[in-house]
Amino acid sequence: MELWYTEKHTDTVDFSIKVKKHFYSEQSPFQHIDFFESEEFGTFFTLDGLMMVNEKDEFVYHDMITHVAMATNPDIKRVLVIGGGDGGTVRELTRYPHIEEIHMVEIDEMVVRACQSYLPITASKLDDPRVTLFFEDGLKFIHGKENVYDLILVDSTDPIGPGEGLFSEAFYTDCYTALSENGILINQHESPYYPSYAHEMKRSHTKIKKIFPISKVYQFHMPTYPSGHWLFGFASKKLDPVTDHKPEKWESFGLDTRYYNSDLHKACFALPTFVKRLLEE
Amino acid sequence: MELWYTEKHTDTVDFSIKVKKHFYSEQSPFQHIDFFESEEFGTFFTLDGLMMVNEKDEFVYHDMITHVAMATNPDIKRVLVIGGGDGGTVRELTRYPHIEEIHMVEIDEMVVRACQSYLPITASKLDDPRVTLFFEDGLKFIHGKENVYDLILVDSTDPIGPGEGLFSEAFYTDCYTALSENGILINQHESPYYPSYAHEMKRSHTKIKKIFPISKVYQFHMPTYPSGHWLFGFASKKLDPVTDHKPEKWESFGLDTRYYNSDLHKACFALPTFVKRLLEE
């Protein structure tokens, strides 16, 4: 017998992984959670059938969501992670000794508990003393907060299901208010390649651009996400990720990273022409 | 009935495209050639079952194989394309009025003729008066040639089957000899992600580094190739693609490109740390 997991990247494009074992399958109050064991990607889990995290390329995503902001403002002390139930984003943050407080707001406690059991590669630092977990709706959590965080990382699913509100203008406005003067917002920004993802990418960028004086998009290679061409948004009140980049300071932290490096920091903001055109539409 | 084309990116990872029509399937003296019509990618063709070119993302590959070299040495006049039977690389070259001569050596005439019939988006410029087609083995064609070309573009299949010799040290040495003083060699350099491709990437780089004083690798997003993370090699006798980059001169040509641009030129040489480490091994 062969067991294969298939994700539909579009209605007519499938990505399939041969599975050794499908060892967890539960319906939470918010979504369906499945864990698999595979040869190529090690352990991976899906939410509502979509690939979230796997042991092989999680380092790409978690490097890129965290270190670009940290090398733009190396004085960040208070961080909010919205989503990110696998814990990989928090893991990267805990590598900075000068970060004082990390709040993680994840709507679905079951995702966190399952990752603590089955995906220690990402979830192992959730018990860091600086980390507080809130199992709440990120939208409600952030509403009304003012000047509380230096960095907000929106590590969300796609804008369908529980992640939908995290792509709304009201939410981005609340993020702006919750950020300090040098505050930075990084958000999951979908992909430019397949039309449905490109549509969400454009919508997100249009909204953020209205609210933040600085709003850029950067790219990375994420082979297990649809098309492998994935984006984060970088929005801030004052700091520009390219002109305010502080490579020497960041390198003085001595972090060993497998994807991110100082050359790549500037380079990832150089987007292909077709992506720039889509974002300008 | 549904018809699906599947490429095995590894033994346990499949990429599948729903096909409207499988309208051409022939065995040439060298390989099996298949043409398909699909919703997401338009017309595409495969050699021995592997995706070569499709209407949706061919622009990425053909931009990146051509314009990086042309913006490093905008005086290139004599070009050799090895492989590239679909014609897309030649099409990009013909956009430069100052290029005087383009030799294309493709071992498999059937690929070229099929692309002329079914893939005019790439094959339409093969009748440019500056283009001469040679249906020969590229290895034999280049052997013994001295100081003939300013640019050699190796637009090959993977190093299995007819493309194998185009990844050999003897071939790279012949390329060096065939190049002029400012000569540049661009070669298909596989991918860093899945082990079998990463293995070929390392082998190719190790060989080229021995022969060319300047040997770099650059990356791009090619969603229909395994992992979507693809590389070209840039090797030359004198010119460095970053320090000798001539963006103003290249922009003066006024070419509209959908992937390549001057910012991306420098940026594509900034590789993720894991790729740099693999190349240094």
Side-chain angles (χ1 to χ4, degrees):
Chain A
M1 181 188 96
E2 291 196 355
L3 195 59
W4 287 77
Y5 156 81
T6 294
E7 177 171 341
K8 296 200 83 65
H9 284 181
T10 78
D11 287 345
T12 62
V13 181
D14 282 4
F15 182 70
S16 305
I17 300 170
K18 190 176 176 184
V19 163
K20 290 185 194 168
K21 207 159 54 176
H22 178 201
F23 63 90
Y24 179 102
S25 185
E26 299 285 346
Q27 180 67 36
S28 84
F30 305 99
Q31 50 208 341
H32 206 273
I33 309 169
D34 290 275
F35 275 75
F36 304 86
E37 188 60 38
S38 73
E39 190 177 307
E40 188 63 38
F41 305 103
T43 302
F44 68 93
F45 81 96
T46 63
L47 295 179
D48 289 337
L50 303 180
M51 167 68 80
M52 291 293 122
V53 178
N54 68 77
E55 291 184 303
K56 186 178 169 99
D57 65 16
E58 63 82 16
F59 74 98
V60 178
Y61 185 95
H62 295 125
D63 267 18
M64 293 305 279
I65 198 170
T66 307
H67 305 306
V68 172
M70 293 304 297
T72 304
N73 177 13
D75 295 322
I76 284 166
K77 292 198 167 44
R78 300 161 299 164
V79 185
L80 172 64
V81 177
I82 298 184
D86 60 90
T89 300
V90 165
R91 179 197 65 202
E92 288 306 305
L93 290 166
T94 62
R95 301 175 73 191
Y96 294 90
H98 66 277
I99 290 182
E100 294 170 1
E101 187 164 60
I102 302 167
H103 288 172
M104 179 175 127
V105 185
E106 165 61 59
I107 202 166
D108 197 341
E109 183 172 356
M110 276 179 72
V111 171
V112 176
R113 299 309 173 207
C115 288
Q116 286 178 314
S117 297
Y118 306 120
L119 209 57
I121 190 177
T122 56
S124 59
K125 298 294 179 185
L126 291 174
D127 58 359
D128 185 286
R130 296 167 293 169
V131 176
T132 311
L133 301 181
F134 301 87
F135 298 112
E136 297 178 29
D137 182 351
L139 287 176
K140 288 187 189 148
F141 182 88
I142 198 159
H143 186 65
K145 291 206 164 43
E146 286 180 40
N147 188 23
V148 180
Y149 299 108
D150 304 314
L151 173 63
I152 299 174
L153 302 176
V154 185
D155 183 357
S156 71
T157 52
D158 296 326
I160 304 150
E164 194 174 348
L166 302 177
F167 287 78
S168 69
E169 203 168 319
F171 171 68
Y172 297 137
T173 303
D174 283 345
C175 287
Y176 184 91
T177 307
L179 283 168
S180 60
E181 197 189 351
N182 282 321
I184 297 171
L185 168 70
I186 305 290
N187 79 311
Q188 204 277 83
H189 218 296
E190 304 290 294
S191 165
Y193 190 71
Y194 292 122
S196 69
Y197 294 93
H199 176 72
E200 297 300 342
M201 168 195 84
K202 288 196 283 183
R203 281 182 62 206
S204 179
H205 187 64
T206 304
K207 292 172 190 166
I208 294 175
K209 229 172 22 180
K210 279 196 235 168
I211 298 161
F212 284 84
I214 292 169
S215 168
K216 302 204 169 179
V217 172
Y218 60 99
Q219 66 181 0
F220 51 102
H221 285 93
M222 191 67 196
T224 53
Y225 284 2
S227 85
H229 191 170
W230 215 258
L231 307 169
F232 283 126
F234 180 108
S236 84
K237 295 188 177 186
K238 272 174 43 184
L239 297 173
D240 181 286
V242 176
T243 56
D244 292 311
H245 178 209
K246 293 167 194 71
E248 299 80 13
K249 180 71 183 167
W250 186 83
E251 279 159 25
S252 76
F253 298 142
L255 301 185
D256 179 45
T257 47
R258 285 174 59 211
Y259 192 89
Y260 177 84
N261 58 56
S262 293
D263 288 340
L264 195 87
H265 178 112
K266 283 193 169 70
C268 67
F269 288 92
L271 302 175
T273 306
F274 83 100
V275 182
K276 293 205 280 186
R277 287 180 184 163
L278 286 169
L279 290 170
E280 283 158 13
E281 270 174 14
Chain B
M1 180 189 99
E2 290 196 354
L3 194 61
W4 287 77
Y5 156 82
T6 294
E7 177 170 340
K8 296 201 83 64
H9 284 181
T10 79
D11 287 345
T12 62
V13 180
D14 283 2
F15 182 70
S16 305
I17 300 170
K18 190 175 177 186
V19 162
K20 290 186 196 169
K21 207 161 51 176
H22 178 202
F23 62 88
Y24 178 103
S25 185
E26 299 284 345
Q27 180 67 38
S28 84
F30 304 99
Q31 52 208 341
H32 206 273
I33 309 169
D34 290 275
F35 276 74
F36 303 87
E37 187 60 38
S38 73
E39 191 177 306
E40 188 64 38
F41 305 104
T43 302
F44 69 93
F45 82 95
T46 64
L47 295 179
D48 289 338
L50 303 179
M51 167 68 81
M52 291 293 122
V53 178
N54 67 77
E55 290 183 303
K56 186 178 168 99
D57 65 16
E58 61 82 15
F59 73 98
V60 177
Y61 185 96
H62 295 124
D63 267 18
M64 293 305 279
I65 198 171
T66 308
H67 303 307
V68 172
M70 293 304 298
T72 303
N73 177 12
D75 295 322
I76 285 166
K77 293 198 169 44
R78 298 161 299 162
V79 186
L80 172 64
V81 177
I82 298 183
D86 60 89
T89 299
V90 165
R91 179 197 64 202
E92 289 305 307
L93 289 167
T94 61
R95 299 175 75 190
Y96 294 90
H98 67 277
I99 290 183
E100 294 170 1
E101 188 163 59
I102 302 167
H103 288 172
M104 179 176 128
V105 185
E106 164 61 57
I107 202 167
D108 197 341
E109 182 172 358
M110 274 179 72
V111 171
V112 176
R113 299 308 173 207
C115 289
Q116 286 178 313
S117 295
Y118 305 120
L119 209 58
I121 190 176
T122 58
S124 58
K125 297 293 180 186
L126 291 174
D127 58 358
D128 184 285
R130 295 167 294 169
V131 176
T132 311
L133 301 182
F134 300 86
F135 298 112
E136 298 178 28
D137 181 351
L139 287 175
K140 289 189 189 147
F141 182 89
I142 198 157
H143 186 65
K145 291 205 163 44
E146 285 180 41
N147 188 23
V148 179
Y149 299 107
D150 304 314
L151 174 63
I152 298 175
L153 302 176
V154 185
D155 183 357
S156 71
T157 53
D158 297 327
I160 306 150
E164 195 172 348
L166 302 178
F167 287 77
S168 70
E169 203 169 319
F171 171 68
Y172 297 137
T173 304
D174 283 344
C175 286
Y176 184 92
T177 308
L179 283 167
S180 60
E181 197 190 351
N182 282 321
I184 297 171
L185 169 71
I186 305 290
N187 79 311
Q188 205 276 84
H189 217 295
E190 304 290 294
S191 166
Y193 191 70
Y194 293 122
S196 68
Y197 293 93
H199 176 72
E200 297 300 341
M201 167 195 84
K202 288 196 283 184
R203 281 182 62 205
S204 177
H205 187 63
T206 304
K207 292 171 191 167
I208 293 174
K209 230 172 23 180
K210 279 197 237 169
I211 298 161
F212 283 84
I214 293 170
S215 167
K216 302 205 168 179
V217 172
Y218 60 100
Q219 66 181 1
F220 52 102
H221 285 94
M222 190 68 195
T224 53
Y225 283 3
S227 85
H229 191 171
W230 216 258
L231 307 169
F232 283 125
F234 180 109
S236 83
K237 297 188 175 184
K238 273 174 42 184
L239 298 173
D240 182 284
V242 176
T243 56
D244 292 311
H245 178 209
K246 293 168 192 72
E248 298 80 13
K249 180 69 183 168
W250 186 81
E251 280 160 25
S252 76
F253 298 143
L255 301 186
D256 180 45
T257 48
R258 285 174 60 209
Y259 192 89
Y260 177 84
N261 57 58
S262 294
D263 288 340
L264 196 87
H265 178 113
K266 284 193 168 70
C268 66
F269 288 92
L271 301 175
T273 306
F274 82 100
V275 182
K276 292 204 281 186
R277 287 180 185 162
L278 286 169
L279 291 170
E280 282 157 15
E281 269 173 15

